[in-house]
PDB file of all heavy atoms in Angstrom:
ATOM      1  N   PHE A   8       0.803  -1.181  -0.028  1.00 83.00           N
ATOM      2  CA  PHE A   8       0.024  -0.044   0.001  1.00 83.00           C
ATOM      3  C   PHE A   8       0.836   1.190  -0.033  1.00 83.00           C
ATOM      4  O   PHE A   8       1.819   1.342   0.777  1.00 83.00           O
ATOM      5  CB  PHE A   8      -0.884  -0.006   1.248  1.00 83.00           C
ATOM      6  CG  PHE A   8      -1.654   1.298   1.433  1.00 83.00           C
ATOM      7  CD1 PHE A   8      -2.797   1.573   0.618  1.00 83.00           C
ATOM      8  CD2 PHE A   8      -1.361   2.189   2.416  1.00 83.00           C
ATOM      9  CE1 PHE A   8      -3.528   2.713   0.748  1.00 83.00           C
ATOM     10  CE2 PHE A   8      -2.028   3.313   2.587  1.00 83.00           C
ATOM     11  CZ  PHE A   8      -3.168   3.652   1.697  1.00 83.00           C
ATOM     12  N   SER A   9       0.521   2.190  -0.853  1.00 82.00           N
ATOM     13  CA  SER A   9       1.260   3.450  -0.882  1.00 82.00           C
ATOM     14  C   SER A   9       0.223   4.602  -0.767  1.00 82.00           C
ATOM     15  O   SER A   9      -0.699   4.740  -1.624  1.00 82.00           O
ATOM     16  CB  SER A   9       2.004   3.614  -2.252  1.00 82.00           C
ATOM     17  OG  SER A   9       2.651   4.877  -2.328  1.00 82.00           O
ATOM     18  N   PRO A  10       0.324   5.424   0.319  1.00 76.00           N
ATOM     19  CA  PRO A  10      -0.610   6.542   0.483  1.00 76.00           C
ATOM     20  C   PRO A  10      -0.607   7.510  -0.673  1.00 76.00           C
ATOM     21  O   PRO A  10      -1.480   8.362  -0.802  1.00 76.00           O
ATOM     22  CB  PRO A  10      -0.176   7.138   1.822  1.00 76.00           C
ATOM     23  CG  PRO A  10       0.596   6.020   2.494  1.00 76.00           C
ATOM     24  CD  PRO A  10       1.290   5.289   1.479  1.00 76.00           C
ATOM     25  N   LYS A  11       0.493   7.549  -1.391  1.00 75.00           N
ATOM     26  CA  LYS A  11       0.646   8.599  -2.482  1.00 75.00           C
ATOM     27  C   LYS A  11      -0.532   8.415  -3.480  1.00 75.00           C
ATOM     28  O   LYS A  11      -1.155   9.427  -3.867  1.00 75.00           O
ATOM     29  CB  LYS A  11       1.995   8.317  -3.211  1.00 75.00           C
ATOM     30  CG  LYS A  11       3.154   8.733  -2.389  1.00 75.00           C
ATOM     31  CD  LYS A  11       4.459   8.557  -3.176  1.00 75.00           C
ATOM     32  CE  LYS A  11       5.657   8.908  -2.352  1.00 75.00           C
ATOM     33  NZ  LYS A  11       6.941   8.676  -3.146  1.00 75.00           N
ATOM     34  N   ASN A  12      -0.818   7.165  -3.911  1.00 73.00           N
ATOM     35  CA  ASN A  12      -1.893   6.949  -4.820  1.00 73.00           C
ATOM     36  C   ASN A  12      -3.148   6.389  -4.150  1.00 73.00           C
ATOM     37  O   ASN A  12      -4.136   6.266  -4.742  1.00 73.00           O
ATOM     38  CB  ASN A  12      -1.472   6.024  -5.990  1.00 73.00           C
ATOM     39  CG  ASN A  12      -0.795   4.737  -5.502  1.00 73.00           C
ATOM     40  OD1 ASN A  12      -1.142   4.185  -4.392  1.00 73.00           O
ATOM     41  ND2 ASN A  12       0.137   4.229  -6.230  1.00 73.00           N
ATOM     42  N   GLY A  13      -2.953   5.985  -2.867  1.00 71.00           N
ATOM     43  CA  GLY A  13      -4.170   5.440  -2.102  1.00 71.00           C
ATOM     44  C   GLY A  13      -4.623   4.148  -2.554  1.00 71.00           C
ATOM     45  O   GLY A  13      -5.694   3.690  -2.213  1.00 71.00           O
ATOM     46  N   GLN A  14      -3.779   3.399  -3.294  1.00 74.00           N
ATOM     47  CA  GLN A  14      -4.216   2.076  -3.805  1.00 74.00           C
ATOM     48  C   GLN A  14      -3.537   0.943  -3.087  1.00 74.00           C
ATOM     49  O   GLN A  14      -2.321   1.041  -2.767  1.00 74.00           O
ATOM     50  CB  GLN A  14      -3.864   1.943  -5.324  1.00 74.00           C
ATOM     51  CG  GLN A  14      -4.728   2.870  -6.218  1.00 74.00           C
ATOM     52  CD  GLN A  14      -4.407   2.672  -7.624  1.00 74.00           C
ATOM     53  OE1 GLN A  14      -3.506   2.009  -8.008  1.00 74.00           O
ATOM     54  NE2 GLN A  14      -5.241   3.278  -8.498  1.00 74.00           N
ATOM     55  N   LEU A  15      -4.258  -0.126  -2.774  1.00 75.00           N
ATOM     56  CA  LEU A  15      -3.690  -1.291  -2.132  1.00 75.00           C
ATOM     57  C   LEU A  15      -3.593  -2.370  -3.175  1.00 75.00           C
ATOM     58  O   LEU A  15      -4.543  -2.819  -3.747  1.00 75.00           O
ATOM     59  CB  LEU A  15      -4.528  -1.654  -0.978  1.00 75.00           C
ATOM     60  CG  LEU A  15      -3.970  -2.743  -0.018  1.00 75.00           C
ATOM     61  CD1 LEU A  15      -4.490  -2.515   1.401  1.00 75.00           C
ATOM     62  CD2 LEU A  15      -4.275  -4.174  -0.441  1.00 75.00           C
ATOM     63  N   LYS A  16      -2.329  -2.822  -3.436  1.00 80.00           N
ATOM     64  CA  LYS A  16      -2.097  -3.802  -4.504  1.00 80.00           C
ATOM     65  C   LYS A  16      -1.990  -5.193  -3.916  1.00 80.00           C
ATOM     66  O   LYS A  16      -1.211  -5.447  -2.973  1.00 80.00           O
ATOM     67  CB  LYS A  16      -0.840  -3.433  -5.220  1.00 80.00           C
ATOM     68  CG  LYS A  16      -0.552  -4.329  -6.433  1.00 80.00           C
ATOM     69  CD  LYS A  16       0.734  -3.842  -7.101  1.00 80.00           C
ATOM     70  CE  LYS A  16       1.052  -4.706  -8.344  1.00 80.00           C
ATOM     71  NZ  LYS A  16       2.334  -4.283  -8.964  1.00 80.00           N
ATOM     72  N   GLN A  17      -2.758  -6.159  -4.476  1.00 82.00           N
ATOM     73  CA  GLN A  17      -2.762  -7.531  -4.027  1.00 82.00           C
ATOM     74  C   GLN A  17      -1.720  -8.302  -4.861  1.00 82.00           C
ATOM     75  O   GLN A  17      -1.888  -8.459  -6.125  1.00 82.00           O
ATOM     76  CB  GLN A  17      -4.127  -8.140  -4.121  1.00 82.00           C
ATOM     77  CG  GLN A  17      -4.219  -9.538  -3.509  1.00 82.00           C
ATOM     78  CD  GLN A  17      -5.667 -10.051  -3.432  1.00 82.00           C
ATOM     79  OE1 GLN A  17      -6.511  -9.570  -4.102  1.00 82.00           O
ATOM     80  NE2 GLN A  17      -5.879 -11.052  -2.585  1.00 82.00           N
ATOM     81  N   GLU A  18      -0.647  -8.786  -4.210  1.00 82.00           N
ATOM     82  CA  GLU A  18       0.468  -9.430  -4.883  1.00 82.00           C
ATOM     83  C   GLU A  18       0.202 -10.957  -5.035  1.00 82.00           C
ATOM     84  O   GLU A  18       0.755 -11.624  -5.902  1.00 82.00           O
ATOM     85  CB  GLU A  18       1.769  -9.151  -4.171  1.00 82.00           C
ATOM     86  CG  GLU A  18       2.045  -7.676  -3.952  1.00 82.00           C
ATOM     87  CD  GLU A  18       2.587  -6.979  -5.190  1.00 82.00           C
ATOM     88  OE1 GLU A  18       2.845  -7.679  -6.219  1.00 82.00           O
ATOM     89  OE2 GLU A  18       2.760  -5.739  -5.201  1.00 82.00           O
ATOM     90  N   ASP A  19      -0.536 -11.537  -4.060  1.00 82.00           N
ATOM     91  CA  ASP A  19      -0.633 -12.979  -4.063  1.00 82.00           C
ATOM     92  C   ASP A  19      -2.194 -13.311  -3.817  1.00 82.00           C
ATOM     93  O   ASP A  19      -2.553 -13.747  -2.767  1.00 82.00           O
ATOM     94  CB  ASP A  19       0.195 -13.594  -2.894  1.00 82.00           C
ATOM     95  CG  ASP A  19       0.282 -15.086  -2.980  1.00 82.00           C
ATOM     96  OD1 ASP A  19      -0.357 -15.639  -3.854  1.00 82.00           O
ATOM     97  OD2 ASP A  19       0.865 -15.659  -2.085  1.00 82.00           O
ATOM     98  N   PRO A  20      -2.986 -13.158  -4.854  1.00 85.00           N
ATOM     99  CA  PRO A  20      -4.404 -13.466  -4.695  1.00 85.00           C
ATOM    100  C   PRO A  20      -4.747 -14.903  -4.365  1.00 85.00           C
ATOM    101  O   PRO A  20      -5.819 -15.205  -3.858  1.00 85.00           O
ATOM    102  CB  PRO A  20      -4.990 -13.049  -6.043  1.00 85.00           C
ATOM    103  CG  PRO A  20      -3.849 -13.141  -7.041  1.00 85.00           C
ATOM    104  CD  PRO A  20      -2.648 -12.772  -6.198  1.00 85.00           C
ATOM    105  N   ALA A  21      -3.852 -15.865  -4.705  1.00 83.00           N
ATOM    106  CA  ALA A  21      -4.106 -17.269  -4.424  1.00 83.00           C
ATOM    107  C   ALA A  21      -4.285 -17.553  -2.917  1.00 83.00           C
ATOM    108  O   ALA A  21      -4.877 -18.509  -2.588  1.00 83.00           O
ATOM    109  CB  ALA A  21      -2.964 -18.085  -4.948  1.00 83.00           C
ATOM    110  N   ARG A  22      -3.802 -16.684  -2.070  1.00 87.00           N
ATOM    111  CA  ARG A  22      -3.917 -16.874  -0.617  1.00 87.00           C
ATOM    112  C   ARG A  22      -5.356 -16.567  -0.074  1.00 87.00           C
ATOM    113  O   ARG A  22      -5.613 -16.875   1.038  1.00 87.00           O
ATOM    114  CB  ARG A  22      -2.893 -16.168   0.135  1.00 87.00           C
ATOM    115  CG  ARG A  22      -1.488 -16.691  -0.050  1.00 87.00           C
ATOM    116  CD  ARG A  22      -0.508 -16.274   1.061  1.00 87.00           C
ATOM    117  NE  ARG A  22       0.690 -17.062   0.940  1.00 87.00           N
ATOM    118  CZ  ARG A  22       0.897 -18.170   1.553  1.00 87.00           C
ATOM    119  NH1 ARG A  22      -0.067 -18.698   2.390  1.00 87.00           N
ATOM    120  NH2 ARG A  22       1.998 -18.880   1.394  1.00 87.00           N
ATOM    121  N   GLU A  23      -6.084 -15.909  -0.924  1.00 88.00           N
ATOM    122  CA  GLU A  23      -7.514 -15.584  -0.611  1.00 88.00           C
ATOM    123  C   GLU A  23      -7.678 -14.731   0.674  1.00 88.00           C
ATOM    124  O   GLU A  23      -8.645 -14.847   1.355  1.00 88.00           O
ATOM    125  CB  GLU A  23      -8.286 -16.880  -0.505  1.00 88.00           C
ATOM    126  CG  GLU A  23      -8.301 -17.769  -1.732  1.00 88.00           C
ATOM    127  CD  GLU A  23      -9.015 -19.063  -1.547  1.00 88.00           C
ATOM    128  OE1 GLU A  23      -9.462 -19.369  -0.424  1.00 88.00           O
ATOM    129  OE2 GLU A  23      -9.186 -19.818  -2.556  1.00 88.00           O
ATOM    130  N   LEU A  24      -6.636 -14.020   0.986  1.00 89.00           N
ATOM    131  CA  LEU A  24      -6.721 -13.076   2.171  1.00 89.00           C
ATOM    132  C   LEU A  24      -7.385 -11.721   1.708  1.00 89.00           C
ATOM    133  O   LEU A  24      -7.115 -11.273   0.660  1.00 89.00           O
ATOM    134  CB  LEU A  24      -5.327 -12.850   2.757  1.00 89.00           C
ATOM    135  CG  LEU A  24      -4.691 -13.986   3.458  1.00 89.00           C
ATOM    136  CD1 LEU A  24      -3.228 -13.751   3.699  1.00 89.00           C
ATOM    137  CD2 LEU A  24      -5.392 -14.223   4.852  1.00 89.00           C
ATOM    138  N   SER A  25      -8.238 -11.253   2.591  1.00 87.00           N
ATOM    139  CA  SER A  25      -8.890  -9.978   2.361  1.00 87.00           C
ATOM    140  C   SER A  25      -8.545  -8.965   3.471  1.00 87.00           C
ATOM    141  O   SER A  25      -8.009  -9.345   4.493  1.00 87.00           O
ATOM    142  CB  SER A  25     -10.411 -10.183   2.167  1.00 87.00           C
ATOM    143  OG  SER A  25     -10.909 -10.700   3.394  1.00 87.00           O
ATOM    144  N   TYR A  26      -8.942  -7.734   3.259  1.00 81.00           N
ATOM    145  CA  TYR A  26      -8.677  -6.650   4.228  1.00 81.00           C
ATOM    146  C   TYR A  26      -9.957  -5.779   4.337  1.00 81.00           C
ATOM    147  O   TYR A  26     -10.875  -5.788   3.490  1.00 81.00           O
ATOM    148  CB  TYR A  26      -7.486  -5.704   3.769  1.00 81.00           C
ATOM    149  CG  TYR A  26      -7.765  -5.059   2.375  1.00 81.00           C
ATOM    150  CD1 TYR A  26      -8.303  -3.775   2.367  1.00 81.00           C
ATOM    151  CD2 TYR A  26      -7.417  -5.694   1.233  1.00 81.00           C
ATOM    152  CE1 TYR A  26      -8.485  -3.186   1.185  1.00 81.00           C
ATOM    153  CE2 TYR A  26      -7.673  -5.149   0.032  1.00 81.00           C
ATOM    154  CZ  TYR A  26      -8.239  -3.836   0.036  1.00 81.00           C
ATOM    155  OH  TYR A  26      -8.506  -3.264  -1.255  1.00 81.00           O
ATOM    156  N   LYS A  27      -9.987  -4.976   5.369  1.00 73.00           N
ATOM    157  CA  LYS A  27     -11.094  -4.096   5.620  1.00 73.00           C
ATOM    158  C   LYS A  27     -10.562  -2.645   5.574  1.00 73.00           C
ATOM    159  O   LYS A  27      -9.389  -2.452   5.400  1.00 73.00           O
ATOM    160  CB  LYS A  27     -11.792  -4.400   6.974  1.00 73.00           C
ATOM    161  CG  LYS A  27     -12.480  -5.718   6.973  1.00 73.00           C
ATOM    162  CD  LYS A  27     -13.200  -5.999   8.301  1.00 73.00           C
ATOM    163  CE  LYS A  27     -13.927  -7.339   8.309  1.00 73.00           C
ATOM    164  NZ  LYS A  27     -14.564  -7.628   9.545  1.00 73.00           N
ATOM    165  N   ASN A  28     -11.423  -1.733   5.825  1.00 66.00           N
ATOM    166  CA  ASN A  28     -10.995  -0.325   5.806  1.00 66.00           C
ATOM    167  C   ASN A  28     -10.283   0.008   7.027  1.00 66.00           C
ATOM    168  O   ASN A  28     -10.843   0.467   8.044  1.00 66.00           O
ATOM    169  CB  ASN A  28     -12.299   0.595   5.666  1.00 66.00           C
ATOM    170  CG  ASN A  28     -11.945   2.025   5.537  1.00 66.00           C
ATOM    171  OD1 ASN A  28     -10.802   2.343   5.294  1.00 66.00           O
ATOM    172  ND2 ASN A  28     -12.897   2.912   5.671  1.00 66.00           N
ATOM    173  N   PHE A  29      -8.962  -0.070   6.998  1.00 61.00           N
ATOM    174  CA  PHE A  29      -8.074   0.070   8.216  1.00 61.00           C
ATOM    175  C   PHE A  29      -7.996   1.527   8.577  1.00 61.00           C
ATOM    176  O   PHE A  29      -7.598   1.828   9.732  1.00 61.00           O
ATOM    177  CB  PHE A  29      -6.736  -0.511   7.972  1.00 61.00           C
ATOM    178  CG  PHE A  29      -6.010  -0.032   6.713  1.00 61.00           C
ATOM    179  CD1 PHE A  29      -5.466   1.230   6.618  1.00 61.00           C
ATOM    180  CD2 PHE A  29      -5.914  -0.905   5.638  1.00 61.00           C
ATOM    181  CE1 PHE A  29      -4.836   1.626   5.481  1.00 61.00           C
ATOM    182  CE2 PHE A  29      -5.252  -0.472   4.480  1.00 61.00           C
ATOM    183  CZ  PHE A  29      -4.739   0.783   4.395  1.00 61.00           C
ATOM    184  N   THR A  30      -8.361   2.509   7.709  1.00 59.00           N
ATOM    185  CA  THR A  30      -8.327   3.888   8.152  1.00 59.00           C
ATOM    186  C   THR A  30      -9.384   4.231   9.203  1.00 59.00           C
ATOM    187  O   THR A  30      -9.351   5.300   9.714  1.00 59.00           O
ATOM    188  CB  THR A  30      -8.486   4.815   6.901  1.00 59.00           C
ATOM    189  OG1 THR A  30      -9.731   4.522   6.273  1.00 59.00           O
ATOM    190  CG2 THR A  30      -7.353   4.681   5.939  1.00 59.00           C
ATOM    191  N   ALA A  31     -10.296   3.314   9.407  1.00 62.00           N
ATOM    192  CA  ALA A  31     -11.360   3.572  10.354  1.00 62.00           C
ATOM    193  C   ALA A  31     -10.989   3.366  11.783  1.00 62.00           C
ATOM    194  O   ALA A  31     -11.329   4.186  12.692  1.00 62.00           O
ATOM    195  CB  ALA A  31     -12.643   2.701  10.016  1.00 62.00           C
ATOM    196  N   ASP A  32     -10.262   2.255  12.143  1.00 67.00           N
ATOM    197  CA  ASP A  32      -9.994   1.959  13.540  1.00 67.00           C
ATOM    198  C   ASP A  32      -8.587   1.603  13.765  1.00 67.00           C
ATOM    199  O   ASP A  32      -8.233   0.964  14.743  1.00 67.00           O
ATOM    200  CB  ASP A  32     -10.907   0.898  14.022  1.00 67.00           C
ATOM    201  CG  ASP A  32     -10.777  -0.446  13.143  1.00 67.00           C
ATOM    202  OD1 ASP A  32     -10.016  -0.433  12.266  1.00 67.00           O
ATOM    203  OD2 ASP A  32     -11.481  -1.374  13.550  1.00 67.00           O
ATOM    204  N   GLY A  33      -7.661   1.851  12.895  1.00 73.00           N
ATOM    205  CA  GLY A  33      -6.260   1.526  13.120  1.00 73.00           C
ATOM    206  C   GLY A  33      -5.876   0.111  12.854  1.00 73.00           C
ATOM    207  O   GLY A  33      -4.857  -0.349  13.302  1.00 73.00           O
ATOM    208  N   SER A  34      -6.751  -0.588  12.108  1.00 79.00           N
ATOM    209  CA  SER A  34      -6.519  -1.975  11.904  1.00 79.00           C
ATOM    210  C   SER A  34      -5.943  -2.270  10.533  1.00 79.00           C
ATOM    211  O   SER A  34      -6.458  -1.757   9.488  1.00 79.00           O
ATOM    212  CB  SER A  34      -7.829  -2.782  12.038  1.00 79.00           C
ATOM    213  OG  SER A  34      -7.652  -4.177  11.655  1.00 79.00           O
ATOM    214  N   PHE A  35      -4.805  -3.012  10.470  1.00 84.00           N
ATOM    215  CA  PHE A  35      -4.180  -3.396   9.219  1.00 84.00           C
ATOM    216  C   PHE A  35      -4.348  -4.949   9.155  1.00 84.00           C
ATOM    217  O   PHE A  35      -3.557  -5.643   8.475  1.00 84.00           O
ATOM    218  CB  PHE A  35      -2.701  -3.066   9.264  1.00 84.00           C
ATOM    219  CG  PHE A  35      -2.402  -1.568   9.140  1.00 84.00           C
ATOM    220  CD1 PHE A  35      -2.693  -0.718  10.180  1.00 84.00           C
ATOM    221  CD2 PHE A  35      -1.979  -1.059   7.981  1.00 84.00           C
ATOM    222  CE1 PHE A  35      -2.405   0.643  10.076  1.00 84.00           C
ATOM    223  CE2 PHE A  35      -1.709   0.347   7.847  1.00 84.00           C
ATOM    224  CZ  PHE A  35      -1.922   1.138   8.932  1.00 84.00           C
ATOM    225  N   SER A  36      -5.402  -5.511   9.707  1.00 88.00           N
ATOM    226  CA  SER A  36      -5.591  -6.895   9.807  1.00 88.00           C
ATOM    227  C   SER A  36      -6.019  -7.511   8.453  1.00 88.00           C
ATOM    228  O   SER A  36      -6.618  -6.882   7.594  1.00 88.00           O
ATOM    229  CB  SER A  36      -6.640  -7.204  10.892  1.00 88.00           C
ATOM    230  OG  SER A  36      -6.251  -6.721  12.176  1.00 88.00           O
ATOM    231  N   LEU A  37      -5.669  -8.750   8.252  1.00 91.00           N
ATOM    232  CA  LEU A  37      -6.148  -9.575   7.114  1.00 91.00           C
ATOM    233  C   LEU A  37      -7.017 -10.712   7.615  1.00 91.00           C
ATOM    234  O   LEU A  37      -6.874 -11.209   8.698  1.00 91.00           O
ATOM    235  CB  LEU A  37      -4.899 -10.089   6.433  1.00 91.00           C
ATOM    236  CG  LEU A  37      -3.856  -9.077   5.883  1.00 91.00           C
ATOM    237  CD1 LEU A  37      -2.717  -9.794   5.248  1.00 91.00           C
ATOM    238  CD2 LEU A  37      -4.541  -8.060   4.959  1.00 91.00           C
ATOM    239  N   TYR A  38      -7.841 -11.169   6.656  1.00 92.00           N
ATOM    240  CA  TYR A  38      -8.918 -12.148   7.032  1.00 92.00           C
ATOM    241  C   TYR A  38      -9.091 -13.163   5.988  1.00 92.00           C
ATOM    242  O   TYR A  38      -8.745 -12.957   4.787  1.00 92.00           O
ATOM    243  CB  TYR A  38     -10.279 -11.451   7.311  1.00 92.00           C
ATOM    244  CG  TYR A  38     -10.222 -10.331   8.238  1.00 92.00           C
ATOM    245  CD1 TYR A  38     -10.069  -9.043   7.820  1.00 92.00           C
ATOM    246  CD2 TYR A  38     -10.492 -10.543   9.617  1.00 92.00           C
ATOM    247  CE1 TYR A  38     -10.015  -7.967   8.758  1.00 92.00           C
ATOM    248  CE2 TYR A  38     -10.429  -9.512  10.575  1.00 92.00           C
ATOM    249  CZ  TYR A  38     -10.124  -8.253  10.080  1.00 92.00           C
ATOM    250  OH  TYR A  38     -10.166  -7.225  11.009  1.00 92.00           O
ATOM    251  N   LYS A  39      -9.562 -14.371   6.351  1.00 92.00           N
ATOM    252  CA  LYS A  39      -9.902 -15.484   5.404  1.00 92.00           C
ATOM    253  C   LYS A  39     -11.050 -16.196   6.017  1.00 92.00           C
ATOM    254  O   LYS A  39     -11.021 -16.521   7.183  1.00 92.00           O
ATOM    255  CB  LYS A  39      -8.650 -16.340   5.251  1.00 92.00           C
ATOM    256  CG  LYS A  39      -8.797 -17.337   4.122  1.00 92.00           C
ATOM    257  CD  LYS A  39      -7.504 -18.077   3.912  1.00 92.00           C
ATOM    258  CE  LYS A  39      -7.568 -19.019   2.772  1.00 92.00           C
ATOM    259  NZ  LYS A  39      -6.228 -19.760   2.502  1.00 92.00           N
ATOM    260  N   ASN A  40     -11.979 -16.644   5.220  1.00 92.00           N
ATOM    261  CA  ASN A  40     -13.154 -17.281   5.700  1.00 92.00           C
ATOM    262  C   ASN A  40     -12.910 -18.664   6.289  1.00 92.00           C
ATOM    263  O   ASN A  40     -13.474 -19.011   7.292  1.00 92.00           O
ATOM    264  CB  ASN A  40     -14.198 -17.472   4.551  1.00 92.00           C
ATOM    265  CG  ASN A  40     -14.781 -16.192   4.094  1.00 92.00           C
ATOM    266  OD1 ASN A  40     -14.874 -15.168   4.903  1.00 92.00           O
ATOM    267  ND2 ASN A  40     -15.187 -16.042   2.840  1.00 92.00           N
ATOM    268  N   LEU A  41     -11.992 -19.456   5.680  1.00 94.00           N
ATOM    269  CA  LEU A  41     -11.667 -20.724   6.252  1.00 94.00           C
ATOM    270  C   LEU A  41     -10.138 -20.998   6.063  1.00 94.00           C
ATOM    271  O   LEU A  41      -9.580 -20.865   4.966  1.00 94.00           O
ATOM    272  CB  LEU A  41     -12.417 -21.823   5.471  1.00 94.00           C
ATOM    273  CG  LEU A  41     -12.457 -23.209   6.171  1.00 94.00           C
ATOM    274  CD1 LEU A  41     -13.147 -23.114   7.548  1.00 94.00           C
ATOM    275  CD2 LEU A  41     -13.175 -24.215   5.300  1.00 94.00           C
ATOM    276  N   ALA A  42      -9.505 -21.320   7.179  1.00 95.00           N
ATOM    277  CA  ALA A  42      -8.059 -21.534   7.160  1.00 95.00           C
ATOM    278  C   ALA A  42      -7.704 -22.852   6.470  1.00 95.00           C
ATOM    279  O   ALA A  42      -8.450 -23.807   6.507  1.00 95.00           O
ATOM    280  CB  ALA A  42      -7.467 -21.500   8.581  1.00 95.00           C
ATOM    281  N   LYS A  43      -6.522 -22.834   5.841  1.00 93.00           N
ATOM    282  CA  LYS A  43      -6.040 -24.053   5.287  1.00 93.00           C
ATOM    283  C   LYS A  43      -4.603 -24.435   5.833  1.00 93.00           C
ATOM    284  O   LYS A  43      -4.003 -23.573   6.447  1.00 93.00           O
ATOM    285  CB  LYS A  43      -5.940 -23.889   3.800  1.00 93.00           C
ATOM    286  CG  LYS A  43      -7.259 -23.644   3.029  1.00 93.00           C
ATOM    287  CD  LYS A  43      -7.033 -23.532   1.533  1.00 93.00           C
ATOM    288  CE  LYS A  43      -8.304 -23.275   0.789  1.00 93.00           C
ATOM    289  NZ  LYS A  43      -8.096 -23.116  -0.646  1.00 93.00           N
ATOM    290  N   VAL A  44      -4.209 -25.642   5.617  1.00 94.00           N
ATOM    291  CA  VAL A  44      -2.862 -26.075   6.121  1.00 94.00           C
ATOM    292  C   VAL A  44      -1.801 -25.197   5.445  1.00 94.00           C
ATOM    293  O   VAL A  44      -0.792 -24.851   6.086  1.00 94.00           O
ATOM    294  CB  VAL A  44      -2.658 -27.585   5.773  1.00 94.00           C
ATOM    295  CG1 VAL A  44      -1.289 -27.960   6.050  1.00 94.00           C
ATOM    296  CG2 VAL A  44      -3.540 -28.372   6.614  1.00 94.00           C
ATOM    297  N   GLU A  45      -2.079 -24.780   4.153  1.00 94.00           N
ATOM    298  CA  GLU A  45      -1.095 -23.917   3.466  1.00 94.00           C
ATOM    299  C   GLU A  45      -0.914 -22.580   4.034  1.00 94.00           C
ATOM    300  O   GLU A  45       0.069 -21.863   3.693  1.00 94.00           O
ATOM    301  CB  GLU A  45      -1.575 -23.767   1.978  1.00 94.00           C
ATOM    302  CG  GLU A  45      -1.509 -25.133   1.199  1.00 94.00           C
ATOM    303  CD  GLU A  45      -2.710 -25.984   1.440  1.00 94.00           C
ATOM    304  OE1 GLU A  45      -3.621 -25.536   2.159  1.00 94.00           O
ATOM    305  OE2 GLU A  45      -2.685 -27.212   1.001  1.00 94.00           O
ATOM    306  N   ASP A  46      -1.776 -22.161   4.960  1.00 94.00           N
ATOM    307  CA  ASP A  46      -1.715 -20.863   5.588  1.00 94.00           C
ATOM    308  C   ASP A  46      -0.710 -20.829   6.755  1.00 94.00           C
ATOM    309  O   ASP A  46      -0.426 -19.767   7.266  1.00 94.00           O
ATOM    310  CB  ASP A  46      -3.077 -20.393   6.082  1.00 94.00           C
ATOM    311  CG  ASP A  46      -4.119 -20.221   4.943  1.00 94.00           C
ATOM    312  OD1 ASP A  46      -3.668 -19.688   3.921  1.00 94.00           O
ATOM    313  OD2 ASP A  46      -5.259 -20.506   5.127  1.00 94.00           O
ATOM    314  N   ARG A  47      -0.140 -21.893   7.118  1.00 95.00           N
ATOM    315  CA  ARG A  47       0.815 -21.975   8.100  1.00 95.00           C
ATOM    316  C   ARG A  47       2.075 -21.175   7.728  1.00 95.00           C
ATOM    317  O   ARG A  47       2.485 -21.299   6.577  1.00 95.00           O
ATOM    318  CB  ARG A  47       1.214 -23.418   8.487  1.00 95.00           C
ATOM    319  CG  ARG A  47       0.133 -24.232   9.104  1.00 95.00           C
ATOM    320  CD  ARG A  47       0.506 -25.713   9.135  1.00 95.00           C
ATOM    321  NE  ARG A  47      -0.433 -26.565   9.789  1.00 95.00           N
ATOM    322  CZ  ARG A  47      -0.547 -27.860   9.666  1.00 95.00           C
ATOM    323  NH1 ARG A  47       0.409 -28.487   9.003  1.00 95.00           N
ATOM    324  NH2 ARG A  47      -1.476 -28.567  10.292  1.00 95.00           N
ATOM    325  N   GLY A  48       2.592 -20.359   8.642  1.00 95.00           N
ATOM    326  CA  GLY A  48       3.753 -19.646   8.370  1.00 95.00           C
ATOM    327  C   GLY A  48       4.024 -18.443   9.245  1.00 95.00           C
ATOM    328  O   GLY A  48       3.250 -18.225  10.176  1.00 95.00           O
ATOM    329  N   THR A  49       4.941 -17.576   8.856  1.00 95.00           N
ATOM    330  CA  THR A  49       5.280 -16.288   9.604  1.00 95.00           C
ATOM    331  C   THR A  49       4.733 -15.199   8.713  1.00 95.00           C
ATOM    332  O   THR A  49       5.285 -15.024   7.573  1.00 95.00           O
ATOM    333  CB  THR A  49       6.696 -16.263   9.909  1.00 95.00           C
ATOM    334  OG1 THR A  49       7.100 -17.418  10.666  1.00 95.00           O
ATOM    335  CG2 THR A  49       7.029 -14.970  10.724  1.00 95.00           C
TER     336      THR A  49
END
């Protein structure tokens, strides 16, 4: 994400992670409806 253009670029859509409007409450959190074994990691 770059505030210069205000666009958030998704680099890895295969992970099916989504985001919400973080400018509302200070959240930069990511979400997924159902976790998979492939989601393990850092």
Side-chain angles (χ1 to χ4, degrees):
F8 173 74
S9 175
K11 290 180 180 178
N12 51 32
Q14 293 182 351
L15 193 148
K16 186 178 179 182
Q17 189 170 15
E18 305 282 353
D19 190 1
R22 290 198 167 270
E23 301 176 355
L24 288 165
S25 61
Y26 61 92
K27 295 183 179 180
N28 185 13
F29 52 76
T30 58
D32 59 357
S34 175
F35 289 74
S36 303
L37 300 179
Y38 306 91
K39 190 175 184 178
N40 291 332
L41 194 63
K43 297 180 180 179
V44 172
E45 294 78 11
D46 296 322
R47 294 169 178 166
T49 302

